[in-house]
Amino acid sequence: MKTKRWLACMLSAAMVISMAACSSGGGESTESQNTSTVSAGSAVEGEDGPFAPYAETVTMDFGVDMDVNSGEATKLAEAGEPYDDNRWIQLFKEKLNVQTNYELVATGEQYNQQIKLLMSSNELPDYFKINDWSDFQQMADAGLLTDMTDIYEQYASPLLKSIMETEGEQVYLPVTYNGRMYGLPRTMPSTNGYNHLWIRQDWLDNLGLERPKTMEDVLEIARPLRKRIRTETARATRWACGSTRPI
Protein backbone atom coordinates (compact mmCIF):
# COMPACT_ATOMS: atom_id res chain seq x y z
CA MET A 1 0.00 0.00 0.00
CA LYS A 2 2.84 2.39 0.78
CA THR A 3 4.40 1.79 -2.61
CA LYS A 4 1.05 2.27 -4.33
CA ARG A 5 0.48 5.56 -2.55
CA TRP A 6 4.02 6.68 -3.41
CA LEU A 7 3.33 5.99 -7.08
CA ALA A 8 0.05 7.87 -6.85
CA CYS A 9 1.99 10.79 -5.39
CA MET A 10 4.30 10.60 -8.41
CA LEU A 11 1.28 10.57 -10.71
CA SER A 12 -0.15 13.74 -9.25
CA ALA A 13 3.03 15.75 -8.77
CA ALA A 14 5.88 14.42 -10.90
CA MET A 15 4.32 15.71 -14.11
CA VAL A 16 4.38 19.20 -12.66
CA ILE A 17 8.09 18.95 -11.89
CA SER A 18 8.83 17.47 -15.30
CA MET A 19 6.98 20.25 -17.10
CA ALA A 20 8.76 22.86 -15.00
CA ALA A 21 12.14 21.38 -15.81
CA CYS A 22 11.63 20.51 -19.49
CA SER A 23 10.16 22.16 -22.51
CA SER A 24 6.93 20.60 -23.74
CA GLY A 25 7.29 17.44 -25.77
CA GLY A 26 5.24 15.39 -28.18
CA GLY A 27 3.19 12.31 -27.59
CA GLU A 28 5.94 9.97 -28.77
CA SER A 29 7.77 10.26 -25.47
CA THR A 30 6.69 8.70 -22.21
CA GLU A 31 7.62 9.00 -18.59
CA SER A 32 7.55 5.76 -16.66
CA GLN A 33 7.95 4.44 -13.16
CA ASN A 34 10.57 1.93 -12.09
CA THR A 35 9.48 -0.58 -9.47
CA SER A 36 13.03 -1.63 -8.65
CA THR A 37 13.95 1.73 -7.14
CA VAL A 38 10.72 2.70 -5.41
CA SER A 39 11.03 3.38 -1.70
CA ALA A 40 8.13 4.64 0.39
CA GLY A 41 7.89 6.43 3.69
CA SER A 42 4.92 6.75 6.01
CA ALA A 43 2.14 9.25 5.51
CA VAL A 44 1.23 11.66 8.27
CA GLU A 45 -1.00 9.89 10.77
CA GLY A 46 -4.68 10.57 10.20
CA GLU A 47 -4.25 11.63 6.59
CA ASP A 48 -4.84 9.57 3.50
CA GLY A 49 -4.64 9.85 -0.26
CA PRO A 50 -1.84 10.81 -2.64
CA PHE A 51 -1.67 14.42 -1.42
CA ALA A 52 -0.98 13.61 2.23
CA PRO A 53 2.60 14.60 3.15
CA TYR A 54 5.05 12.00 4.39
CA ALA A 55 6.18 12.10 8.01
CA GLU A 56 9.71 11.39 6.79
CA THR A 57 11.19 12.90 3.64
CA VAL A 58 11.02 10.65 0.57
CA THR A 59 13.49 11.19 -2.28
CA MET A 60 12.34 10.82 -5.87
CA ASP A 61 15.08 10.22 -8.45
CA PHE A 62 14.52 11.73 -11.89
CA GLY A 63 16.04 11.18 -15.30
CA VAL A 64 15.47 14.05 -17.75
CA ASP A 65 16.38 14.63 -21.39
CA MET A 66 17.30 18.28 -21.03
CA ASP A 67 20.07 20.72 -21.88
CA VAL A 68 20.70 22.65 -18.67
CA ASN A 69 22.93 25.06 -20.61
CA SER A 70 20.30 26.01 -23.17
CA GLY A 71 19.22 29.61 -23.50
CA GLU A 72 15.83 28.92 -21.93
CA ALA A 73 17.31 27.03 -18.96
CA THR A 74 19.91 29.75 -18.45
CA LYS A 75 17.29 32.50 -18.43
CA LEU A 76 15.20 30.59 -15.89
CA ALA A 77 18.23 30.05 -13.68
CA GLU A 78 19.12 33.74 -13.87
CA ALA A 79 15.54 34.54 -12.86
CA GLY A 80 15.92 32.38 -9.75
CA GLU A 81 14.19 29.31 -11.23
CA PRO A 82 16.95 26.74 -11.94
CA TYR A 83 15.83 23.32 -13.11
CA ASP A 84 16.86 21.66 -9.84
CA ASP A 85 15.50 24.26 -7.39
CA ASN A 86 12.45 26.07 -8.68
CA ARG A 87 9.07 26.94 -7.20
CA TRP A 88 7.51 23.62 -8.24
CA ILE A 89 10.21 21.55 -6.61
CA GLN A 90 9.95 23.64 -3.47
CA LEU A 91 6.15 23.24 -3.45
CA PHE A 92 6.55 19.49 -3.89
CA LYS A 93 8.79 19.38 -0.83
CA GLU A 94 6.57 21.70 1.19
CA LYS A 95 3.25 20.02 0.44
CA LEU A 96 4.27 16.36 0.11
CA ASN A 97 7.64 16.18 1.87
CA VAL A 98 9.15 14.65 -1.27
CA GLN A 99 12.65 15.71 -2.24
CA THR A 100 13.48 15.85 -5.95
CA ASN A 101 16.85 14.49 -7.06
CA TYR A 102 17.98 14.74 -10.68
CA GLU A 103 19.98 11.54 -10.96
CA LEU A 104 20.36 11.65 -14.74
CA VAL A 105 20.54 14.86 -16.79
CA ALA A 106 21.62 14.54 -20.41
CA THR A 107 20.44 15.37 -23.92
CA GLY A 108 19.71 13.54 -27.13
CA GLU A 109 21.61 10.39 -27.93
CA GLN A 110 23.71 10.70 -24.79
CA TYR A 111 20.55 10.52 -22.71
CA ASN A 112 19.27 7.51 -24.67
CA GLN A 113 22.54 5.65 -24.19
CA GLN A 114 22.53 6.37 -20.45
CA ILE A 115 18.99 5.00 -20.18
CA LYS A 116 20.06 1.79 -21.95
CA LEU A 117 23.01 1.36 -19.58
CA LEU A 118 20.84 1.95 -16.51
CA MET A 119 18.25 -0.47 -17.89
CA SER A 120 20.84 -3.22 -18.35
CA SER A 121 22.12 -2.75 -14.80
CA ASN A 122 18.60 -2.45 -13.33
CA GLU A 123 19.42 0.97 -11.86
CA LEU A 124 16.85 3.15 -13.59
CA PRO A 125 15.61 6.33 -11.83
CA ASP A 126 12.16 6.36 -10.26
CA TYR A 127 10.77 8.64 -12.92
CA PHE A 128 12.24 9.19 -16.37
CA LYS A 129 11.51 9.79 -20.02
CA ILE A 130 11.68 7.04 -22.66
CA ASN A 131 12.41 8.10 -26.22
CA ASP A 132 12.82 4.69 -27.85
CA TRP A 133 9.78 2.42 -28.21
CA SER A 134 11.95 -0.69 -28.25
CA ASP A 135 13.43 0.36 -24.88
CA PHE A 136 9.92 0.75 -23.56
CA GLN A 137 8.97 -2.74 -24.70
CA GLN A 138 12.10 -4.28 -23.18
CA MET A 139 11.52 -2.55 -19.85
CA ALA A 140 7.88 -3.65 -19.72
CA ASP A 141 8.74 -7.24 -20.61
CA ALA A 142 11.50 -7.30 -18.00
CA GLY A 143 9.19 -6.02 -15.26
CA LEU A 144 11.15 -2.78 -14.82
CA LEU A 145 8.09 -0.55 -15.22
CA THR A 146 5.15 -0.21 -12.87
CA ASP A 147 1.72 -1.03 -14.29
CA MET A 148 0.04 2.36 -13.86
CA THR A 149 -3.37 1.38 -15.27
CA ASP A 150 -5.33 1.04 -12.02
CA ILE A 151 -3.32 3.71 -10.21
CA TYR A 152 -4.07 6.22 -12.96
CA GLU A 153 -7.77 5.41 -12.91
CA GLN A 154 -7.97 5.72 -9.13
CA TYR A 155 -5.71 8.67 -8.38
CA ALA A 156 -5.40 10.87 -11.48
CA SER A 157 -7.30 14.10 -10.93
CA PRO A 158 -10.33 14.95 -13.09
CA LEU A 159 -8.33 17.88 -14.49
CA LEU A 160 -5.41 15.67 -15.55
CA LYS A 161 -7.74 13.13 -17.12
CA SER A 162 -9.67 15.82 -18.97
CA ILE A 163 -6.44 17.25 -20.41
CA MET A 164 -5.33 13.83 -21.59
CA GLU A 165 -8.69 12.76 -22.97
CA THR A 166 -9.21 16.04 -24.80
CA GLU A 167 -6.13 15.22 -26.87
CA GLY A 168 -7.73 11.95 -28.00
CA GLU A 169 -7.15 8.27 -27.26
CA GLN A 170 -3.91 8.29 -29.27
CA VAL A 171 -2.21 10.21 -26.46
CA TYR A 172 -2.11 6.97 -24.43
CA LEU A 173 -0.63 4.81 -27.20
CA PRO A 174 3.07 5.61 -26.45
CA VAL A 175 2.65 4.41 -22.85
CA THR A 176 0.43 1.39 -23.48
CA TYR A 177 1.77 -2.14 -23.91
CA ASN A 178 -0.31 -5.32 -24.08
CA GLY A 179 -3.36 -3.31 -23.09
CA ARG A 180 -1.80 -1.92 -19.91
CA MET A 181 -0.54 1.58 -19.10
CA TYR A 182 3.13 1.65 -18.04
CA GLY A 183 3.80 5.38 -17.94
CA LEU A 184 2.40 8.87 -18.18
CA PRO A 185 1.96 10.53 -21.58
CA ARG A 186 4.32 13.46 -21.93
CA THR A 187 2.06 16.03 -23.51
CA MET A 188 0.81 19.56 -23.06
CA PRO A 189 -2.73 20.69 -23.88
CA SER A 190 -2.98 21.79 -27.50
CA THR A 191 -5.01 24.75 -26.22
CA ASN A 192 -1.84 26.11 -24.56
CA GLY A 193 -0.96 27.66 -27.90
CA TYR A 194 -3.20 30.32 -29.37
CA ASN A 195 -3.00 31.87 -32.83
CA HIS A 196 -4.33 35.26 -33.88
CA LEU A 197 -6.79 35.45 -36.73
CA TRP A 198 -6.46 38.56 -38.88
CA ILE A 199 -9.12 39.88 -41.27
CA ARG A 200 -9.16 42.97 -43.47
CA GLN A 201 -11.52 45.67 -42.28
CA ASP A 202 -12.23 46.86 -45.84
CA TRP A 203 -13.54 43.37 -46.69
CA LEU A 204 -15.94 43.54 -43.75
CA ASP A 205 -17.01 47.06 -44.71
CA ASN A 206 -17.71 46.04 -48.32
CA LEU A 207 -19.93 43.19 -47.15
CA GLY A 208 -21.54 45.16 -44.33
CA LEU A 209 -20.28 42.71 -41.72
CA GLU A 210 -19.18 43.21 -38.12
CA ARG A 211 -15.89 42.01 -36.67
CA PRO A 212 -16.10 38.37 -35.58
CA LYS A 213 -16.27 37.54 -31.89
CA THR A 214 -16.61 33.75 -32.13
CA MET A 215 -15.52 31.01 -34.52
CA GLU A 216 -19.14 30.80 -35.67
CA ASP A 217 -18.84 34.45 -36.69
CA VAL A 218 -15.67 33.64 -38.63
CA LEU A 219 -17.50 30.92 -40.56
CA GLU A 220 -20.39 33.28 -41.32
CA ILE A 221 -17.90 35.85 -42.65
CA ALA A 222 -15.92 33.29 -44.66
CA ARG A 223 -18.92 32.06 -46.62
CA PRO A 224 -19.88 35.37 -48.32
CA LEU A 225 -16.22 36.26 -48.80
CA ARG A 226 -15.60 32.98 -50.55
CA LYS A 227 -18.66 33.44 -52.74
CA ARG A 228 -17.72 37.02 -53.67
CA ILE A 229 -14.12 36.21 -54.51
CA ARG A 230 -15.24 33.29 -56.66
CA THR A 231 -17.66 35.57 -58.48
CA GLU A 232 -15.08 38.29 -59.08
CA THR A 233 -12.24 35.99 -60.12
CA ALA A 234 -14.36 33.30 -61.82
CA ARG A 235 -12.22 30.61 -60.24
CA ALA A 236 -12.04 28.53 -57.10
CA THR A 237 -10.14 30.10 -54.21
CA ARG A 238 -8.04 28.31 -51.63
CA TRP A 239 -8.00 29.55 -48.06
CA ALA A 240 -5.15 29.45 -45.56
CA CYS A 241 -7.53 29.01 -42.62
CA GLY A 242 -7.98 25.46 -41.41
CA SER A 243 -11.35 24.26 -40.23
CA THR A 244 -12.87 20.94 -39.17
CA ARG A 245 -16.14 22.04 -40.70
CA PRO A 246 -16.92 22.82 -44.35
CA ILE A 247 -17.22 26.49 -45.18
Side-chain angles (χ1 to χ4, degrees), residues 11-37:
L11 174 65
S12 59
M15 288 190 72
V16 175
I17 293 179
S18 177
M19 288 187 286
C22 309
S23 59
S24 61
E28 292 303 315
S29 299
T30 65
E31 290 162 354
S32 308
Q33 275 54 355
N34 176 8
T35 57
S36 64
T37 58

Side-chain angles (χ1 to χ4, degrees), residues 197 209-224 243-247:
L197 178 66
L209 300 173
E210 299 292 330
R211 292 183 182 182
K213 295 181 180 179
T214 67
M215 287 307 298
E216 288 294 331
D217 293 342
V218 172
L219 290 175
E220 291 303 317
I221 290 172
R223 291 187 180 103
S243 174
T244 58
R245 296 172 55 184
I247 296 177

Side-chain angles (χ1 to χ4, degrees), residues 52-101:
Y54 288 98
E56 297 180 3
T57 300
V58 172
T59 298
M60 182 189 296
D61 294 327
F62 276 70
V64 291
D65 183 354
M66 175 177 62
D67 182 2
V68 297
N69 297 314
S70 68
E72 181 181 1
T74 300
K75 289 180 181 179
L76 287 172
E78 291 174 348
E81 298 281 351
Y83 78 95
D84 56 352
D85 187 21
N86 52 61
R87 69 187 70 181
W88 302 108
I89 292 176
Q90 294 166 8
L91 187 66
F92 202 13
K93 178 65 169 64
E94 176 187 343
K95 298 296 184 181
L96 300 173
N97 199 19
V98 175
Q99 183 65 49
T100 302
N101 174 49

Side-chain angles (χ1 to χ4, degrees), residues 79 97 120 127 182 201 226 232 234 247:
N97 199 19
S120 62
Y127 185 90
Y182 287 95
Q201 184 63 49
R226 185 168 181 253
E232 293 178 352
I247 296 177

